[in-house]
Amino acid sequence: MLALLRDVTEQRDNILTKYEAMALQVDESVREIAADVLDAQRSEKKAEASERHAEQEATHAVELSRQLDDERRMRAEVVAEFARFRDAVARASVDDPWGVLGRAASQIGDDWVAWARAKIPHDSWFLPWFDRAVELVKTLSRLAFKSAKALFEWARPHVIDLWKLLKSKLHRQ
């Protein structure tokens, strides 16, 4: 009976050893499966992030393309406006050269101001100051233009008389 007990104990120890070995293999397999699952989840998240990034890039590319088209359209409008202005100046009568010069300077100045104002954000604190400065410059420009015109109109007959006088003195000598 003792021999039977030893055999049973040995079989029990063998079974326990085999069970422990199987338990270690199961634990190792579970860890490998968990690592594979984590890797798969990471890969899936990276793929989703890449897909989102690609969609954002595509959206950004579409937006940039739209902005480029807008800029090209605006550039074409500006070119057409300058061509129209050149044609109008070429066909304009020069009965009043001061009026033509004033209108041309005013139109060019207004175009520059509109371009500069478009570069300032609409919610900027600088915008009201810019508008005030533009009005001040316009007022000063009008005054300077009127003063220069008046000075020219006043000086023209005097310069003509002085030229005639100088010319006559040079002929006498």
Side-chain angles (χ1 to χ4, degrees):
M1 181 111 133
L2 205 45
L4 188 60
L5 188 58
R6 278 188 206 148
D7 279 343
V8 170
T9 306
E10 251 181 61
Q11 284 179 357
R12 183 199 63 178
D13 288 343
N14 284 342
I15 291 175
L16 281 175
T17 304
K18 288 180 183 177
Y19 176 74
E20 287 175 355
M22 284 177 32
L24 286 175
Q25 278 184 335
V26 168
D27 284 345
E28 194 173 301
S29 296
V30 167
R31 276 191 226 119
E32 287 176 4
I33 291 172
D36 290 343
V37 167
L38 283 175
D39 286 343
Q41 287 175 346
R42 285 185 195 133
S43 296
E44 186 179 330
K45 285 182 182 179
K46 284 182 181 178
E48 288 174 1
S50 294
E51 188 176 318
R52 265 185 273 125
H53 183 68
E55 288 174 0
Q56 289 173 350
E57 288 295 320
T59 304
H60 186 64
V62 167
E63 177 63 24
L64 288 177
S65 175
R66 186 193 59 76
Q67 288 177 357
L68 181 62
D69 290 342
D70 289 347
E71 287 293 325
R72 285 180 180 153
R73 182 183 45 77
M74 288 178 10
R75 184 179 60 192
E77 289 174 3
V78 168
V79 167
E81 183 68 22
F82 274 111
R84 186 193 61 75
F85 178 72
R86 264 189 252 115
D87 291 342
V89 167
R91 283 183 271 136
S93 64
V94 191
D95 296 338
D96 182 19
W98 289 107
V100 171
L101 180 63
R103 284 189 299 277
S106 174
Q107 193 169 28
I108 290 170
D110 288 345
D111 289 344
W112 285 354
V113 167
W115 176 84
R117 193 171 198 285
K119 299 297 180 188
I120 301 171
H122 295 289
D123 57 350
S124 175
W125 61 269
F126 181 68
L127 197 56
W129 291 101
F130 178 80
D131 291 339
R132 290 179 190 144
V134 166
E135 286 304 315
L136 176 66
V137 168
K138 280 184 177 179
T139 303
L140 292 175
S141 298
R142 279 189 220 109
L143 286 174
F145 187 76
K146 287 179 182 178
S147 300
K149 182 179 176 183
L151 178 65
F152 178 78
E153 294 298 330
W154 173 82
R156 184 174 51 179
H158 297 293
V159 169
I160 291 172
D161 290 343
L162 284 174
W163 175 250
K164 287 178 182 177
L165 180 66
L166 181 64
K167 195 173 167 184
S168 68
K169 284 187 178 182
L170 285 174
H171 283 297
R172 281 188 226 156
Q173 290 180 350

